[in-house]
Every structure is written in structure tokens, then in C-alpha cells.
Amino acid sequence: MSGLSTISISPLTVRARLLLVLAGIILLLAGPALYSIGRLRAVRDIAFELHDRHASSRTAVGELRAALAEADRLQRSYIVTGDSATGAEMFAALLDARESYRLASAAGYGMSSLPLGLTLTELDEASHEIDQLMLAGEVTEATEYFGEVRHLSLI
């Protein structure tokens, strides 16, 4: 060994070896644990977002039901009284129902609420037909037509 000195490493005690193994295991488990904590936070955020979206949609559906009930009540009153102010209120209630439908659709249930949108369009057309019949003085025909399309307001 010409000029090279040898380095000697003292052997580790059993206690030191166990501590090193334990530290290694802790380091190996810390990485996945930290990663899973981040993923759990992401899942929690998604759950809160879906909860808020569902609550918003549920509120809009409640408002839609109220607006449809109001439109139905006003439609009946309009046919009975023939009052044009009641007819205007009926159309305002239908606009409120359309806005509630838009809010429910915007909350993430667009395609599943498409049939409801089509029914609202049919209800709006039926209301215009009733209005035309009432303006023409054909109350009996308006009453019969209302009986035919009544199922539309029972969503």
C-alpha cells in the first residue's frame, strides 16, 4: 500500500442499525403519505363544489315549482276573470319559471333538464294560445284548451 492510507469505518452497533432502518422506512412512507394528503384535499374540494352546485340547483328547482304554481293559479284566474293585468302577471310568472330553469341548468344539470325546458316552451305556447282565445272573447274554448294542456303545468 504505497502511500494510500486505508480508511476504516467502525462497525455500527445494532442500535444504530435499527435507527437507520427505522429512519429509512419513515422516509419511504412519508412521500406517499404527503401525496395522498394532497389528493384528499383535492377530493374534499370537489365534494364541496358538488355540494354547492347541488344546493344551488335544488334552490332553483324550488323556485321553478313556485313559479309554475303561480302561473297555473294566474292562468285559471285569467280565464275566469278575463282581466288583462292577470294575464300579464301570468306571463311574468312564466318568465320567472324560465329564469329558474336557466339557473338550474347552469348548475350543471343541463342535458338532464332538457325535457323540462321543452315542456316550459310548450307551456309558454299554450299560455299564448289561451291569451289569444281570451282576447277573441272565446272563454269556453280557452277553458277547454286549458283542460287539454293542464298536464304541462303539473311538472
Side-chain angles (χ1 to χ4, degrees):
M1 300 225 206
S2 59
L4 291 175
S5 63
T6 59
I7 302 176
S8 67
I9 300 176
S10 64
L12 295 175
T13 64
V14 173
R15 181 179 188 187
R17 286 182 190 170
L18 284 175
L19 289 175
L20 283 175
V21 168
L22 184 61
I25 291 172
I26 289 172
L27 287 175
L28 282 174
L29 294 177
L34 292 175
Y35 177 76
S36 64
I37 288 171
R39 297 292 84 209
L40 282 175
R41 285 186 182 148
V43 168
R44 183 198 63 200
D45 293 343
I46 291 169
F48 283 148
E49 179 185 336
L50 289 176
H51 179 268
D52 292 346
R53 183 182 296 176
H54 181 69
S56 172
S57 177
R58 192 173 173 124
T59 300
V61 168
E63 291 171 357
L64 174 63
R65 286 183 177 168
L68 287 175
E70 181 71 6
D72 182 59
R73 183 188 67 77
L74 290 168
Q75 224 172 27
R76 291 168 185 270
S77 297
Y78 180 49
I79 291 171
V80 170
T81 64
D83 182 26
S84 61
T86 305
E89 289 177 31
M90 173 186 66
F91 287 114
L94 288 173
L95 285 175
D96 290 345
R98 181 65 69 178
E99 179 62 19
S100 296
Y101 167 72
R102 188 192 64 74
L103 291 174
S105 297
Y109 299 97
M111 290 305 289
S112 63
S113 63
L114 184 62
L116 178 60
L118 297 174
T119 302
L120 282 175
T121 301
E122 291 175 12
L123 183 60
D124 194 44
E125 291 170 358
S127 296
H128 282 290
E129 180 66 26
I130 289 172
D131 188 44
Q132 292 301 316
L133 290 170
M134 291 300 294
L135 291 175
E138 299 174 0
V139 177
T140 305
E141 288 81 3
T143 303
E144 290 173 1
Y145 185 73
F146 176 76
E148 293 172 12
V149 297
R150 167 123 172 71
H151 70 279
L152 293 176
S153 63
L154 299 174
I155 299 175

